Amino acid sequence: MSTPTVVLVHGAFADASGFARLIPELRADGVPVLAAVPNRGLSGDAAYIASVVRQIDGPVVLVGRSYGGAVITVAGVEDNVTALVYLAGYALEEGESLGELQGRFPDPPLASALVRREYPTGVPGGTGTDVYVDPDRFHAVFAADVDAELAEVLAVTQRPLAAAAFAEPATAAAWRTRPSWGTVSTADQTINPDVERFGYQRAGATTVEIDASHLVMLSRPKEVAAVIRDAVRATA
């Protein structure tokens, strides 16, 4: 079997540039890498990632950060997906939503730092709601261990998540049929670390705890790359 392609799925309030320090670590080992997700809604984003996976010739390891974890949970049922890796992510059960899982645990500081803005849906008169992190609180609640100047740039270039995604249930739980790995960000102010631990334990994931903020792949890329390499080696 060929070396799996690693498909990186980012979460809310960031884009694929958040993997800028992780990707070189993986490519240095000759691991093929792609990164993308629209952040519009769970079923649509999962369908998009599934379409990307189907067009890859060979095995795939899906890596999802934060909300991206929910996306890979659904998209990961594609035939050529060999493993799932969650980075401070949501490992949902089938029929469960982000809001339902998060609601079982105390709110993180992020909950009071969210800003909502309307956007046109394309339907006449129709609007949706995008959710952002207040730029003034972005560094503290989202990227506390990232350089302050970089955090300022990330704060003003953040990619929002459609609010509807929080209530949309997962239509599959790929971790039931795929081996999984997960990193817990123990200093996470965006997702309660116990949410991460609970999801990983339920999924039977190999779990690594890292003293990091929510943007663990930026602040601790070597540790994250090591977890992904383990998944690649175990399924190659």
Side-chain angles (χ1 to χ4, degrees):
M1 185 181 289
S2 61
T3 300
T5 296
V6 170
V7 176
L8 302 168
V9 181
H10 65 76
F13 321 127
D15 60 20
S17 66
F19 296 116
R21 291 176 179 165
L22 175 62
I23 290 172
E25 294 284 339
L26 298 172
R27 288 178 58 86
D29 287 340
V31 176
V33 183
L34 294 174
V37 74
N39 270 20
R40 295 294 80 201
L42 184 52
S43 60
D45 290 346
Y48 177 86
I49 292 300
S51 73
V52 171
V53 168
R54 286 194 297 271
Q55 295 175 68
I56 294 174
D57 184 17
V60 170
V61 171
L62 281 177
V63 179
R65 184 194 65 80
S66 189
Y67 162 71
V71 175
I72 70 170
T73 296
V74 178
V77 296
E78 289 299 314
D79 290 342
N80 57 329
V81 173
T82 59
L84 309 173
V85 181
Y86 295 89
L87 307 180
Y90 291 101
L92 299 180
E93 175 61 281
E94 184 175 353
E96 184 178 59
S97 70
L98 298 175
E100 287 172 338
L101 177 54
Q102 180 64 62
R104 298 182 189 138
F105 299 85
D107 283 341
L110 173 77
S112 63
L114 296 177
V115 177
R116 291 167 174 78
R117 300 174 186 164
E118 289 191 348
Y119 68 90
T121 61
V123 176
T127 60
T129 302
D130 266 341
V131 182
Y132 297 78
V133 180
D134 181 345
D136 291 335
R137 297 184 60 188
F138 187 96
H139 192 194
V141 304
F142 199 72
D145 55 357
V146 173
D147 177 79
E149 290 186 2
L150 175 58
E152 288 181 4
V153 173
L154 295 174
V156 299
T157 60
Q158 61 181 287
R159 187 183 185 103
L161 178 66
F166 289 101
E168 192 172 354
T171 57
W175 47 260
R176 290 191 170 277
T177 56
R178 305 291 191 279
S180 58
W181 284 255
T183 68
V184 175
S185 288
T186 60
D188 205 330
Q189 302 292 297
T190 296
I191 297 178
N192 185 327
D194 285 338
V195 172
E196 300 163 20
R197 294 185 182 102
F198 174 82
Y200 302 163
Q201 182 178 17
R202 181 172 61 182
T206 299
T207 302
V208 176
E209 302 220 353
I210 302 175
D211 182 16
S213 73
H214 195 58
L215 288 187
V216 60
M217 70 287 188
L218 265 178
S219 64
R220 304 289 289 273
K222 292 185 182 297
E223 289 91 333
V224 171
V227 175
I228 297 172
R229 287 190 196 104
D230 285 347
V232 168
R233 289 170 183 150
T235 59

